[in-house]
């Protein structure tokens, strides 16, 4: 008995790779889209009324710079020299915003505040 199956393909129009997860009856559950560096950039459920899609953005070094699901957005900032996470912000559409800042000492977090 097949529980889950996976379809793999390349969207020739956008040159993006897509994986589609199917249930045991071959009904579409989730599509994962990858960028040209094979990093996941989108998780799209078949039923978007039940679940909201997730979108991810990366910087040139491969760090996640933004994660978005519905009205929740998280942004991350990194130190240009060391690549360490220095700040991440969680925002909600209604104006709620929380900012976390990290201070390091020899690659060890010594302070995290918001």
């Amino acid at each position: 008995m097949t529980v889950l199956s996976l379809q793999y393909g390349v969207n020739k129009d956008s040159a993006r790779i897509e994986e589609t997860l199917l249930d045991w009856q071959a009904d579409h559950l989730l599509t994962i889209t990858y960028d040209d560096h094979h990093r996941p950039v989108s998780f799209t459920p078949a039923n978007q009324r039940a679940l909201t899609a997730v979108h991810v953005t990366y910087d040139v070094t491969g760090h996640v710079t933004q994660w978005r699901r519905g009205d929740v957005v998280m942004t991350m900032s990194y130190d240009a020299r060391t690549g360490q996470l220095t700040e991440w912000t969680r925002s909600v559409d209604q104006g709620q915003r929380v900012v976390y800042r990290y201070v390091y000492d020899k690659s060890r977090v010594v302070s995290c505040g918001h």
Side-chain angles (χ1 to χ4, degrees), residues 6-27:
L6 177 68
Q7 287 184 348
Y8 177 82
V10 176
N11 183 337
K12 293 180 182 174
D13 295 331
S14 68
R16 292 202 169 190
I17 298 167
E18 292 183 347
E19 290 180 328
T20 302
L21 291 168
L22 308 169
D23 70 6
W24 65 280
Q25 294 176 317
D27 290 330

Side-chain angles (χ1 to χ4, degrees), residues 35 39-42 54-59 62-68 74 76 78:
D35 67 8
R39 298 177 297 212
V41 294
S42 176
V54 172
H55 301 281
V56 182
T57 306
Y58 301 88
D59 66 11
H63 291 113
V64 173
T65 56
Q66 185 179 73
W67 181 96
R68 185 183 57 204
M74 292 191 304
M76 294 80 165
Y78 302 87

Side-chain angles (χ1 to χ4, degrees), residues 20-83:
T20 302
L21 291 168
L22 308 169
D23 70 6
W24 65 280
Q25 294 176 317
D27 290 330
H28 177 244
L29 296 175
L30 177 72
T31 299
I32 304 169
T33 305
Y34 298 86
D35 67 8
D36 54 350
H37 297 288
H38 305 285
R39 298 177 297 212
V41 294
S42 176
F43 301 84
T44 309
N47 183 352
Q48 290 200 28
R49 281 183 259 161
L51 296 170
T52 305
V54 172
H55 301 281
V56 182
T57 306
Y58 301 88
D59 66 11
V60 296
T61 63
H63 291 113
V64 173
T65 56
Q66 185 179 73
W67 181 96
R68 185 183 57 204
R69 181 174 183 244
D71 63 351
V72 176
V73 178
M74 292 191 304
T75 56
M76 294 80 165
S77 300
Y78 302 87
D79 180 87
R81 189 173 51 84
T82 65

